[in-house]
Amino acid sequence: MAGITQEKILYLNVTKGRMIHKTKEKGITHDFNGYEGHFLGIRERISDYEGKPQTKVELKMKDTGSDEIVIIQFTKKAWAAHGLLASIGKVDLSKPFTVKVWGSDENEKMSFCGLQQQGYKYIENRKCIDPDKSFPKPIAVTISGEKTWDWTAVFTATDAVIKSITEKTQALAPAVETTEIEEEAETWANPDVSPMPNTTDDLPF
């Protein structure tokens, strides 16, 4: 099947309450706080930034109003990724949905994420789907007198959600009406832009 070239994919990095596309040559060329589209895939990917590995959760979508394909990149150890993974299990992935991100009044580097889809009861503050309350949160721990956060349980749940969704969507693949979308969902391209650094939005509320 036909693959997707890098030029056809728009990479959006979640940072400071926004989804942005930025290159060294042009700077920020796209800036959103919400994106509506059809689900194409989700995965975890480890990339390199200035010699340091960084782990991202990548959500691949097709725009509802055009042929645009986007990959929204979330730092795995961050509240935005937590919000995405705690909510996506409640979404009907065969129908369009909206990814919303917003910032924190207390920490400009912190981002949060929620999902919207017709037919679901929204929580009041951001009009987003109420996330799964059983999805774990980081645990405060003290190591050598320093307070830090243990994300082990969160990462285990994250990996389980990604695996479950991948298996579920692969099983439903024959029901996809558009061959083009089916083909695009099978192929991931690597970013044609320099990776963004991990943000320091890995602090609890």
Side-chain angles (χ1 to χ4, degrees), residues 36-140:
E36 182 182 29
H38 297 271
F39 176 86
L40 293 181
I42 189 169
R43 71 171 182 179
E44 179 181 312
R45 188 172 70 87
I46 300 176
S47 60
D48 181 84
Y49 181 79
E50 296 183 347
K52 297 180 180 180
Q54 54 179 352
T55 304
K56 299 283 187 178
V57 173
E58 297 187 333
L59 176 66
K60 188 175 184 180
M61 303 180 72
K62 180 181 176 67
D63 184 70
T64 53
S66 70
D67 292 330
E68 181 178 69
I69 305 296
V70 302
I71 292 179
I72 306 173
Q73 299 176 311
F74 299 79
T75 299
K76 186 178 181 181
K77 188 180 180 181
W79 278 107
H82 184 279
L84 170 71
L85 274 300
S87 303
I88 197 167
K90 294 189 173 184
V91 171
D92 182 348
L93 297 179
S94 68
K95 299 178 181 179
F97 64 97
T98 300
V99 181
K100 296 285 290 184
V101 296
W102 60 92
S104 167
D105 295 333
E106 299 178 0
N107 185 341
E108 66 171 11
K109 295 183 178 180
M110 188 179 292
S111 301
F112 300 103
C113 175
L115 304 179
Q116 296 178 338
Q117 190 174 53
Q118 291 185 351
Y120 284 83
K121 182 179 179 181
Y122 293 150
I123 53 178
E124 290 297 325
N125 56 350
R126 296 288 173 177
K127 295 185 176 180
C128 293
I129 294 172
D130 192 11
D132 182 358
K133 295 296 192 299
S134 67
F135 197 87
K137 293 182 178 181
I139 300 172

Side-chain angles (χ1 to χ4, degrees), residues 10 28-29 35 44 47 56 63 65 69 72 83 92 95 125 138-139 166 179 184 189 192 194 203 205:
L10 174 65
I28 296 175
T29 60
Y35 195 93
E44 179 181 312
S47 60
K56 299 283 187 178
D63 184 70
I69 305 296
I72 306 173
D92 182 348
K95 299 178 181 179
N125 56 350
I139 300 172
T166 300
T179 302
E184 289 164 348
D192 58 345
S194 299
L203 303 175
F205 296 101

